[in-house]
Amino acid sequence: MAKILKPTEENLRDIRKFLRLGELVAIPTETVYGLAANALDADACAKIFAAKQRPNNDPLICHVASYEALERFCETNDASKILADAFWPGPLTFVLPKKSSIPDIVTAGLDSVAVRSPSHPVFRQLIEDCDFPLAAPSANPFAYISPTLARHVQANLGDRIEYILDGGPCEHGVESTIMDLRDPANPKILRYGALPIEKIENALKRRLIRPEPNSNQTAISIAPGSLPKHYSPRTLLELRSNAVRESELTESDQSIAYLLLRKPLHARANNIHWLSENGELKAIASRLYAKLRELDETGYKKIIAEEAPELGLGLAINDRLRRASFR
Ligand code: TXA
Ligand code: MG
């Protein structure tokens, strides 16, 4: 079983050595836990695909300490500079033309690479003394719910890796927002995520085209990992676009879990669950994956979940819920 390590100086030194030797370590970020390897070492990165059972055509994100580190790995431009100045370190990933230092396995043979600089203090402490970037997808088995606690990683990948670095619960709880910046004059949203699109639009001083929910045609060709079924519990998940009424809750079948956006006024049966007190999107996003895991483990025959409003973090929450409900 993998050891969960506290982020002491000594443990961080050992983890850097282990990564340098070409091994995998699960690490905390402010979005979700990642499964990291030296991004310049093709054999090490191959181990990520094997441990996650991830198809080889699904490229990895490279994590760097700073914007300055990027020049070695990809071509930057005005748009990446503006967005990095505004949001890095943080939950925003850029897709940019890659340089030859990044092995093909990392980018699934594409001529672009996805890069971000996380803000999690433990992650930063780790990478600041690494002389290589870290390739890291979310530390879940392919298509399952992403981990937001060290013990989630332990439960799913504990028998396939040796170390999990514990950085506590992830602040955002959903993955980074991904922007295609290959053409700086025409930035595109590839994945809704923890950084709301409206903030990116403000920084770029332009409106962006919103991908239609579940319109995977364009997304798949550019971001091969954006499959309609993803982030999925084993339990069937049904989505409701309107709030569930209290009358339905009070008469509900106990074998069905209700996942509400906010605490209901009266209904308090064991099968009624909520993600926030008052509907705050930040709280909802940060608890979503942990709650889905909990419900998946309880053995309900179905989960009925409410959709969030279609704005800000609600776009990322709904994107994950729709993929989780896809059958
Ligand atoms: O918050 C996050 O982004 C987390 C943490 C660990 O940083 N990472 C994460 O990685 O969500 P992952 O592998 O679960 O999702 C990465 C997605 C891929 O599925 C793919 O769609 C997209 O990033 N991607 C990676 N490289 C790309 C490229 N060159 N072009 C287009 N999309 C790319
Ligand atoms: Mg993932």
Side-chain angles (χ1 to χ4, degrees):
M1 250 333 196
K3 270 203 195 108
I4 297 183
L5 301 177
K6 291 279 162 217
T8 62
E9 280 294 338
E10 195 188 351
N11 285 340
L12 288 171
R13 224 179 5 247
D14 289 347
I15 287 173
R16 278 187 216 102
K17 265 192 230 151
F18 199 62
L19 287 165
R20 196 169 288 116
L21 289 171
E23 297 301 332
L24 304 182
V25 179
I27 49 155
T29 84
E30 72 279 23
T31 58
V32 298
Y33 276 74
L35 182 60
N38 176 353
L40 305 180
D41 179 341
D43 293 338
C45 292
K47 294 178 187 172
I48 295 179
F49 288 89
K52 274 185 65 103
Q53 297 178 296
R54 180 179 174 109
N56 285 334
N57 67 356
D58 190 358
L60 307 176
I61 296 178
C62 289
H63 299 73
V64 292
S66 65
Y67 191 72
E68 288 59 50
L70 273 192
E71 309 285 341
R72 277 171 63 203
F73 313 117
C74 59
E75 312 283 348
T76 56
N77 57 42
D78 292 350
S80 62
K81 177 78 177 114
I82 290 169
L83 293 179
D85 281 346
F87 304 115
W88 274 19
L92 176 61
T93 297
F94 306 146
V95 169
L96 289 165
K98 94 174 188 73
K99 291 189 177 168
S100 59
S101 52
I102 298 291
D104 285 338
I105 186 169
V106 171
T107 61
L110 297 175
D111 53 13
S112 59
V113 61
V115 285
R116 84 174 188 101
S117 188
S119 62
H120 194 293
V122 172
F123 181 95
R124 300 206 64 76
Q125 227 185 320
L126 177 72
I127 202 162
E128 268 157 18
D129 280 320
C130 276
D131 46 12
F132 45 84
L134 291 172
S138 47
N140 48 303
F142 184 67
Y144 194 61
I145 306 162
S146 299
T148 55
L149 285 173
R151 70 173 159 78
H152 295 159
V153 184
Q154 172 85 295
N156 294 145
L157 298 178
D159 55 351
R160 298 185 214 163
I161 59 175
E162 289 198 46
Y163 300 113
I164 301 165
L165 180 57
D166 192 354
C170 299
E171 178 195 343
H172 297 293
V174 290
E175 295 80 353
S176 61
T177 303
I178 307 183
M179 292 294 301
D180 178 2
L181 301 181
R182 290 173 303 165
D183 174 5
N186 188 18
K188 296 195 188 79
I189 305 163
L190 294 185
R191 178 174 75 184
Y192 291 125
L195 183 68
I197 290 303
E198 294 85 345
K199 290 196 177 177
I200 298 176
E201 290 179 324
N202 281 345
L204 292 174
K205 300 195 176 64
R206 60 184 292 165
R207 284 250 330 144
L208 297 168
I209 297 170
R210 306 281 203 275
E212 285 294 308
N214 278 353
S215 70
N216 288 284
Q217 279 341 93
T218 46
I220 280 180
S221 55
I222 313 168
S226 26
L227 294 171
K229 179 178 189 314
H230 207 123
Y231 315 105
S232 301
R234 288 172 291 267
T235 316
L236 190 69
L237 190 136
E238 179 186 313
L239 267 185
R240 292 285 180 85
S241 49
N242 295 317
V244 178
R245 288 166 189 268
E246 290 259 351
S247 57
E248 177 174 345
L249 297 176
T250 42
E251 292 159 17
S252 65
D253 173 348
Q254 294 293 308
S255 65
I256 296 176
Y258 282 83
L259 184 55
L260 310 176
L261 296 175
R262 63 177 74 210
K263 188 170 171 179
L265 287 179
H266 306 294
R268 290 289 188 279
N270 285 338
N271 63 327
I272 317 292
H273 303 263
W274 54 90
L275 290 165
S276 72
E277 290 299 305
N278 297 309
E280 314 87 337
L281 294 174
K282 205 169 155 52
I284 294 169
S286 73
R287 293 177 194 157
L288 178 65
Y289 287 153
K291 200 69 188 174
L292 282 175
R293 276 174 181 266
E294 179 196 318
L295 299 183
D296 208 19
E297 282 155 19
T298 311
Y300 289 108
K301 71 176 184 212
K302 185 160 87 176
I303 302 166
I304 294 179
E306 289 177 338
E307 274 179 22
E310 285 284 325
L311 81 182
L313 271 177
L315 292 166
I317 294 164
N318 288 344
D319 171 77
R320 304 309 188 266
L321 281 171
R322 288 185 190 123
R323 290 179 209 278
S325 70
F326 190 88
R327 279 292 181 278

